[in-house]
Every structure is written in structure tokens, then in C-alpha cells.
Amino acid sequence: MKMAENGAGKNHLQHNQVFDLSIDVLPQGGSKCFDEDGRLKRTGTVWTASAHIITAVIGSGVLSLAWATAQLGWVAGPAVMFLFSFVTYYTSTLLAACYRSGDPINGKRNYTYMDAVRSNLGGFKVKICGWVQYLNLFGVAIGYTIASSISMMAIKRSNCFHASGGKNPCHLNSNPYMIAFGIVEIIFSQIPGFDQLWWLSIVAAVMSFTYSTIGLGLGIAKVAETGKVRGSLTGISVGTVTQTQKIWRSFQALGDIAFAYSYSLILIEIQDTLKAPPSESKTMKKASLISVAVTTLFYMLCGCMGYAAFGDLSPGNLLTGFGFYNPFWLLDIANAAIVIHLVGAYQVYCQPLFAFIEKKAAEKFPDSEFITKDIKISIPGFRAYNLNLFRLVWRTLFVISTTLISMLLPFFNDIVGLLGALGFWPLTVYFPVEMYISKKKIPKWSTRWLCLQILSIACLIITIAAAAGSIAGVVLDLKSYKPFSTDY
């Protein structure tokens, strides 16, 4: 029997394959080439999953951690980071258990976060989950566009500073840099699916280590140079900021730290690339532990060293806030690494959204050639590329829209905090907890049920506080703001 799948067909991780299934399919484990669900054999391991997670997690969020630590101080700062890392790891193990419905080895697979919600909770919650998830992905794309333009400008400014011996203030407009990032993303967004992104993920993971290590190294050098550790136990002192500002900023810092950890959005999609045996949830738990441990260690070092170097004056973005001026070539390398990393991270985050829209369009208009037809383009020395017109037009429009919104709202810190706050509770805590309770049939009011609900409510309170802090920040930014004319 032959089964052809069009580009926007059922599976968004393995697009555009024409399957020849005239082979003996084994009852449980699939065949040599295909898994039991008729899709190409999955090949992912603990290491590829960890690379994907680290790419998604150690993003631009790491750069605002020194600022966040400065708001909270030496006691609360590291404590909050530990708390978020624990919550993230724990809820991701709950989520990993929901990849298969029923039996953890042979149960039906859920290919996306929404599929998992649909099979475990169903009903209206699926719609809410979809809206929150895809709006969040859209927001992350905007956040990454802003962050990359700031890093590109930092390279230009540090060179200009160096050339003028620090006399020229080197004001730049951010728009050309956002447009340049948009053009690069339009090209990369034509990569059809997640499974073909592995090389981009590995490059991006290496880049994120590069710039985080440089930030860390410069922080250590600054502390060694001045010979003293700055900062206080309770964070930025009232006097430097007003009492009200301190409260709002502390709330916003919570949002920044939450954003720095959020990856549950794409956990199920990453889990769907793993090979079995061992069961996918076992592998995913290991990958979550490795990646959360690595990121927490990194975050602690970057956040604490940045705070030790600058104290109350820690910049909102460690490598571009010009806390450091020299060595200027090292800053250029770090900022270039950020840009390369964000190009990859943008794709890792947007692929699930692209796939969702393409799948919906193919279901709604199965006969439309514009949506379902693939045009084969042969590239000498490479595999033939399947061009899909709908994919080309829709993904291009998506990137253009995120670029335009970024040019309108270029406030890095506040947007990061707001995104972290809005995505953290529903996607990282509420849905994983509810799905796990439903899947494991945990009885109401039992000790375990109560503990999970207390965790969920505590995280909701943190989310509301962080969102309020970020909105206060955006309102403050808007007072001195002209659209499309942001200079740095």
C-alpha cells in the first residue's frame, strides 16, 4: 500500500515524505525504517534533546539575569533562580509522562503540546492552551528580534566608541538591524520541519555557551580588577530608586527569571524526535535534568557575577548595556554569537506555530494546490528541496509581522518580563499539573493532589505579580517613546 503525505499533512516533524509501506510492519515496534505510527524512525537521543532544550532555554533571558539579581539581592536572587529551576524540572517530568496516552511504552503518541492537552483534558481547555501557546511563541519571536537588533547595534557602537576614543556617543537607529534580522529569518523559516533543524540547534547551543561564558568571564575580570564584590543582601537600595519602583522592579525581575527558564512550550515537540526503547519519557526526564542543571549553573554564574561586578548599576542587558567597554573585540564576538544563537532559537520556537497553521490549512482546504502541492527544486550537490507556495507566503508574512511589531515596541527588559509572566503559569505549571492528575487519576483532596494544587496556585501568584511589574515598566517606557524612531 502506498501512502503520500503532503507538506502540510499530518506530521509537522517529518514533512514531505512519500512513504512506501509495502513492507512487513511489525505489530509493536514498527519496522526497520518506520515507527509503529507509520512515521520515519525517530533517531533522537538524550544528547540531541538536551541540545534542543539548551538552545531554547539559554537565550537572551540569560543577559537580563544580572539586572534581575540586582533587584532582588544576594539572598532572594539566587533563591528565586533555584526555585524556578526546580519548578521547571519537576513540571517538565510531569509533562514528559503525558507524551503517550495510556500505556507509557505503547500508548498513542501526542505529537504536540496541544495534542497532549486534548487527549488528557479535552474540551475548552484545548482552545485556551492553543491561544496561550501560540501567542507566547509569537511574543518570543518579537522578543528575539528586539534582542538581536540590540546586539547588532552593540557591535557597531563598541567599534564606533573605540574608533572615537569614547568621545562620540554613537547614537544608532534600531530599525535597519531589525529588518536585516527579519530577512535572515525569512530565508531560514523555509526549512520545512523540526527534524531538519538539528544542525541549527547545535550551532545555536554552542553560540549560547560562547556569549554566556564571555559575559561570565568579563564579570569575573571586573570583580578581580576592582577587588570587591558589589551588591547587597536585599538588592537595589531605596534612594537609588523609590519604594514603589523597588516593588515593581522586584516583580519584573521574577518575570525575567521565569522567561529565562521557560521551555515547556516545545517539550512535547522535542520528545517526539526521540527514539525508543528506552521509553521516551525516561529519556526526556534525563534530558530535562541535564539541561536544567546546566542552565541553572550557568544562570547562577552569569547573574551573580554580573551583579558582583556592577552592584545596583547592573545593566538590563549585560553585554549591550555598556557595563563593559573593553576588550571591545571580545564584546563583538559575544554579541555576534548572540545574533547567531537568536537566529536558531527563533526557528526552534516558531516551527511548532508554522506547523500548526499549515496543518489546519491543509485540513480545511485539502484540494487547494496552493496549500498542499510541493514543487521539487533540485539543488546541485544537495537533496531536492520541496517548495510549498503556502509555506513560502505564510511564513514570510509571519516574519514580516514580528519584525514590524518589534520596530514599534523595542523595550527589551519589559517585554521579556511580560512574556515570561504570561507563559510561565499556564504552560509550565497549570497544564502539566492538570494533565498529570488526569492521567494518573490522582483522587481529589489526597495529599498528592493538594501538593500539586498548592504548587500551581503559588506559581499563579508569582505570575500575576511579575505581569503587573512588567506592565508598569512598559507604561513607563511609553511616556518617552516615539514609534519607529528608537535610538540607542
Side-chain angles (χ1 to χ4, degrees), residues 252 409 411 414-415 418 469-479:
Q252 196 188 326
L409 297 170
F411 325 124
D414 303 320
I415 301 283
L418 191 58
S470 300
I471 291 167
V474 171
V475 169
L476 217 72
D477 289 334
L478 286 171
K479 283 182 182 164

Side-chain angles (χ1 to χ4, degrees), residues 97-172:
C98 300
Y99 171 62
R100 284 183 185 267
S101 303
D103 182 64
I105 313 279
N106 301 315
K108 180 185 156 296
R109 294 172 187 264
N110 296 307
Y111 301 113
T112 62
Y113 193 102
M114 263 177 88
D115 285 347
V117 174
R118 188 176 290 112
S119 62
N120 287 292
L121 300 173
F124 186 56
K125 286 182 179 170
V126 182
K127 282 212 167 85
I128 296 175
C129 164
W131 276 106
V132 174
Q133 186 183 5
Y134 295 124
L135 271 173
N136 204 291
L137 290 175
F138 186 67
V140 167
I142 294 166
Y144 282 178
T145 308
I146 296 170
S148 68
S149 73
I150 290 175
S151 284
M152 287 188 254
M153 291 190 313
I155 296 175
K156 188 95 174 91
R157 281 186 69 191
S158 89
N159 293 346
C160 158
F161 252 67
H162 187 73
S164 71
K167 292 184 183 75
N168 183 348
C170 306
H171 285 303
L172 291 173

